[in-house]
Amino acid sequence: PKSHLITLEMARQTPVGKKMMAASLSLLSPKHSYLSTFLLDEKFNPNSWWAPYLRMLPTDFDSMPIFFPDEDLKWLEGSPFLGLQNDFLTKVKDQVREKKSDIRKDYDAILEVAPEFGKYSFWEFCWARMNACSRIFGINIDGVKTDAFVPLAGTF
């Protein structure tokens, strides 16, 4: 049911979402950023209706490369990941740095228009972004294409 979806439109209607919309932010990953701000607000809201769903989300994303410490990246050397280039480790590190930088740019852009969002750390924002990028569904609601967390589908 629609009442059990966290949609991009809902995220845009939050106080921070409205500020982001009013500023017409140029984000590198807009839908993930909007949904991430919603997730964080709900995660830290003790009365959140979404609390049961939020408790089921992963608490960390240690298996995602943006969270790998540099020393762990060396274990990928020689694997078919990204091919067998001589400068494999450099390419992996560059990709990880670029992804972190992109997420940081979006986080900083949000802080510029909604400084109150600074109550959430960059790493908390990363947590929310990883949930958004790994758990949203593209759906159509009443003829409108949108993205949403679908708790009843996303838990299986």
Side-chain angles (χ1 to χ4, degrees):
K2 290 179 198 175
S3 63
H4 287 65
L5 301 175
I6 299 171
T7 66
L8 183 54
E9 289 69 31
M10 289 169 61
R12 288 180 174 152
Q13 292 307 307
T14 66
V16 170
K18 287 179 181 179
K19 287 181 178 183
M20 292 166 65
M21 292 288 293
S24 299
L25 287 184
S26 177
L27 299 166
L28 295 167
S29 186
K31 64 184 176 185
H32 293 155
S33 293
Y34 280 100
L35 288 163
S36 295
T37 62
F38 185 94
L39 266 192
L40 285 174
D41 280 343
E42 292 300 314
K43 179 182 180 182
F44 291 100
N45 173 358
N47 302 314
S48 174
W49 188 83
W50 300 103
Y53 173 62
L54 295 169
R55 283 192 300 270
M56 288 189 290
L57 294 175
T59 56
D60 65 60
F61 286 91
D62 292 343
S63 62
M64 289 193 155
I66 73 156
F67 294 106
F68 287 5
D70 280 350
E71 59 271 11
D72 285 356
L73 292 173
K74 72 176 183 232
W75 293 105
L76 296 174
E77 203 163 359
S79 75
F81 182 70
L82 296 181
L84 298 173
Q85 302 92 346
N86 290 336
D87 57 345
F88 168 79
L89 192 54
T90 301
K91 288 183 184 282
V92 172
K93 285 181 180 179
D94 288 348
Q95 285 183 344
V96 169
R97 267 190 230 102
E98 183 179 331
K99 189 62 179 169
K100 281 183 191 176
S101 175
D102 289 350
I103 294 170
R104 172 61 82 170
K105 287 175 187 169
D106 283 355
Y107 176 74
D108 290 344
I110 295 167
L111 291 180
E112 283 185 32
V113 299
E116 67 274 18
F117 192 70
K119 66 185 172 187
Y120 306 119
S121 73
F122 171 65
W123 291 109
E124 288 169 324
F125 184 67
C126 287
W127 168 84
R129 278 287 291 270
M130 294 304 100
N131 272 296
C133 75
S134 65
R135 284 173 171 68
I136 61 171
F137 292 83
I139 60 173
N140 189 308
I141 299 175
D142 300 327
V144 177
K145 186 179 181 307
T146 190
D147 293 280
F149 288 101
V150 184
L152 297 174
T155 57
F156 300 103

